[in-house]
Amino acid sequence: MPLAEIRARIAKAETNAGRPAGSVQLIAVSKVQPLDRVQAVLDQGQRVFGENKVQEAAGKWPDFRETYGEIDLHLIGPLQTNKVRQAFGLFQHIHSLDRPKLAHTMARIAQEMGHCPQLYIQVNTGEEPQKAGIAPQEADAFVAECRSMDLPVAGLMCIPPVDETPALHFALLAKLAARNGLQGLSMGMSDDFEQAIALGATHVRVGSAIFGTRVAPNPA
Ligand SMILES: *Cc1c(COP(=O)(O)O)cnc(C)c1O
């Protein structure tokens, strides 16, 4: 689907929700896509991208930045503590702050480097055992813990269970964010971004609807 069409659908969803135009940011999720597809989207003016692996991002974005200038990069996949330093050098936003140990490492490295990306706490809204994230009932305490370490918490992020109505999860995430005074809501993917916008998403993470089906498996 052309990028312009996705942008138009986002604009329509903003209007339908009575939200100001431009209040939702589109993150184009370029993981495992062939470089020519990514380049085509860059050529259409998109400058905000999401990747789910540090290594993969490190292999493509420095070159694209040379060619296209400033690009806003979002890490949306799990982050190992030994890659935090590298991630801080590449990404302006990290959506996968999902455990206390990672928060502590981020706080230490932010001190050392003198800067820290904008952080989104990943909440496991479906309480799925195999999925990363803070349990909903622990979210308030974890937000407070991160703030006590001076981490810049911009909002919350979720990936709803595949077999459940996403709207319930989006509504829960919005409620948790509101009661913690957080503005950012990273929720909504190719199949459900309009619903996410209706429920307050500030960032939608859209991959296959823009780039087409991912050509290589990417289990993370
Ligand atoms: C891959 C991925 C997306 C994009 O998924 P699509 O269904 O292709 O839009 C969004 N969020 C996360 C965390 C992802 O890993």
Side-chain angles (χ1 to χ4, degrees):
M1 193 176 295
L3 181 66
E5 198 171 317
I6 301 291
R7 290 230 180 98
R9 282 171 60 187
I10 289 173
K12 184 148 181 264
E14 287 171 339
T15 305
N16 290 345
R19 300 180 54 193
S23 50
V24 178
Q25 191 163 57
L26 171 61
I27 302 171
V29 177
S30 47
K31 63 185 184 196
V32 309
Q33 296 289 351
L35 296 182
D36 60 326
R37 287 193 194 171
V38 181
Q39 205 167 335
V41 170
L42 279 160
D43 287 336
Q44 292 169 69
Q46 177 72 21
R47 290 293 180 273
V48 182
F49 289 85
E51 290 283 345
N52 72 337
K53 289 188 173 154
V54 176
Q55 219 54 49
E56 187 186 335
K60 73 180 94 153
W61 288 102
D63 283 352
F64 279 142
R65 280 175 163 153
E66 287 258 310
T67 311
Y68 290 91
E70 274 183 40
I71 289 163
D72 204 30
L73 273 192
H74 296 248
L75 178 65
I76 61 171
L79 178 58
Q80 293 168 257
T81 49
N82 64 4
K83 297 222 173 94
V84 169
R85 191 180 303 275
Q86 191 183 9
F88 277 24
L90 268 172
F91 294 95
Q92 284 81 16
H93 316 262
I94 295 179
H95 294 235
S96 47
L97 172 47
D98 59 5
R99 59 198 192 279
K101 184 175 182 227
L102 182 59
H104 285 279
T105 304
M106 284 178 163
R108 178 169 53 78
I109 293 187
Q111 279 285 324
E112 280 174 34
M113 294 177 79
H115 78 96
C116 186
Q118 291 291 300
L119 302 174
Y120 291 77
I121 292 171
Q122 184 172 348
V123 181
N124 187 359
T125 55
E127 301 183 63
E128 296 173 276
Q130 82 286 3
K131 200 169 266 177
I134 301 294
Q137 62 276 13
E138 284 160 17
D140 297 352
F142 189 65
V143 172
E145 188 183 355
C146 291
R147 284 175 166 156
S148 76
M149 291 185 263
D150 283 332
L151 287 172
V153 181
L156 303 180
M157 176 272 217
C158 75
I159 307 171
V162 286
D163 55 351
E164 287 182 28
T165 313
L168 297 174
H169 296 272
F170 298 154
L172 171 59
L173 199 72
K175 190 178 88 176
L176 293 174
R179 81 174 182 222
N180 283 284
L182 291 168
Q183 308 298 319
L185 277 173
S186 168
M187 58 190 197
M189 312 187 358
S190 289
D191 291 335
D192 53 26
F193 67 87
E194 282 136 325
Q195 279 183 72
I197 291 169
L199 290 161
T202 58
H203 294 73
V204 293
R205 310 178 307 264
V206 181
S208 43
I210 296 173
F211 295 100
T213 310
R214 282 181 283 277
V215 292
N218 190 339

